[in-house]
Amino acid sequence: KPYQMAQQLSRGDTLLTAWSSLPSVDLVDQLATTEFDAVTLDMQHGGHDEKSVWDGLLAIINRQKCAVVRIPVGRNDMASRALDMGADAIIAPMINSAEDAKAFADSMKFPPLGSRSWGAPRAQSLRDVEGGNAFLKSANKDTLSLAMIETREALAALDDILSVEGIDGVFVGPSDLSIAWTNGDSVDPTREDMMEAIALIAKKAKAANKFAGIFSVDPSDAPRFTQMGFQFIALGFETGLISAGATQFLAAAKGG
Ligand code: 3PY
Ligand code: MG
């Protein structure tokens, strides 16, 4: 099951990801059977740990979907480990400076670009990559480091973050961004007055030849984000899918 996400984004595809917060391999596997292009395992705010990421990645990759992991803040060791486990891409939260971005990229890329440590037998086997050198030669371009932009500091440092070699793209977190936007007054990820700044993030990413992704709390915002140039879009948490499905089924059952 070769790596596919980097290639799909390069050719201009828009990828929609399910966002997995519940650390159940059966639920992750079930998400991977739907028409989502990717499943993202959330270790920052979701319940995923190393074991559930280990199991979840196997399920997602076997379903031939893009496999993404969001690590906790500053856990660059986990970024390397999740790559060793076979992930296509890693999302790192709260990347607020070029230094943050460099440290993250360093853990993601083999030399000379970074200092990722050698030893990914599982990724090689899951991804059907031949022998050592083939993996060494292709891994840096096959796997993606996505830096989250979700604070005022990150907005101010965006050009510097985008210019870090080894950062393949950015991923906007509109909830944290809204808290920063209102100086801690409210969390409101769909606020209209942030949209211009959000569009500018996608525009700058494109100009720097990098990918842009975003967490779309309201799934009906996805088309406008695509229009702005975002190619990797999360549609809320999977718990929302379950609730929405329940609402729909119950309404149907009650003749609504
Ligand atoms: C945010 O919106 O802050 C996120 O991190 C998305 O989960
Ligand atoms: Mg956030």
Side-chain angles (χ1 to χ4, degrees):
K1 325 283 180 318
Y3 291 107
Q4 52 182 328
M5 187 169 162
Q7 271 182 359
Q8 289 172 343
L9 290 175
S10 292
R11 69 171 184 237
D13 292 3
T14 299
L15 304 178
L16 300 177
T17 186
W19 197 270
S20 165
S21 67
L22 302 176
S24 148
V25 67
D26 292 280
L27 186 46
V28 169
D29 184 52
Q30 197 61 44
L31 289 171
T33 67
T34 67
E35 287 179 26
F36 276 101
D37 306 293
V39 179
T40 300
L41 306 175
D42 188 4
M43 301 182 80
Q44 185 196 13
H45 296 301
H48 282 286
D49 58 17
E50 284 198 35
K51 177 70 167 80
S52 67
V53 167
W54 180 274
D55 295 340
L57 287 174
L58 179 65
I60 301 164
I61 294 164
N62 276 333
R63 297 283 184 189
Q64 311 206 26
K65 294 297 174 77
C66 300
V68 182
V69 175
R70 176 163 75 170
I71 57 173
V73 176
R75 287 291 310 280
N76 293 327
D77 62 318
M78 192 59 223
S80 304
R81 280 182 65 63
L83 289 185
D84 287 351
M85 293 178 196
D88 286 88
I90 308 296
I91 299 174
M94 294 284 177
I95 298 295
N96 293 331
S97 64
E99 287 66 39
D100 290 350
K102 278 183 197 143
F104 170 46
D106 193 59
S107 69
M108 291 285 292
K109 305 294 181 183
F110 289 117
L113 208 47
S115 63
R116 179 179 169 194
S117 168
W118 180 256
R122 191 208 207 205
Q124 287 180 60
S125 147
L126 275 179
R127 297 310 193 157
D128 296 329
V129 182
E130 300 256 329
N133 251 346
F135 190 78
L136 177 65
K137 293 295 167 208
S138 57
N140 282 0
K141 62 173 169 39
D142 280 342
T143 55
L144 300 170
S145 26
L146 305 177
M148 285 198 75
I149 304 298
E150 49 184 348
T151 62
R152 283 183 186 275
E153 296 91 312
L155 283 181
L158 181 59
D159 292 339
D160 296 337
I161 292 169
L162 281 168
S163 69
V164 172
E165 220 187 331
I167 293 294
D168 300 296
V170 290
F171 187 84
V172 177
S175 292
D176 277 308
L177 193 60
S178 72
I179 295 175
W181 201 260
T182 61
N183 287 320
D185 186 60
S186 61
V187 54
D188 181 4
T190 60
R191 48 187 308 134
E192 247 344 281
D193 64 355
M194 293 195 311
M195 288 300 162
E196 210 173 308
I198 286 175
L200 188 61
I201 296 172
K203 200 171 157 201
K204 285 191 165 187
K206 193 179 173 71
N209 242 331
K210 310 264 161 128
F211 302 115
I214 190 165
F215 192 95
S216 186
V217 173
D218 178 348
S220 64
D221 278 335
R224 77 197 281 204
F225 289 139
T226 305
Q227 202 71 34
M228 291 177 191
F230 289 98
Q231 281 182 267
F232 178 65
I233 303 176
L235 303 180
F237 280 62
E238 92 282 47
T239 46
L241 298 177
I242 296 169
S243 299
T247 302
Q248 193 191 323
F249 274 45
L250 290 168
K254 291 171 187 171

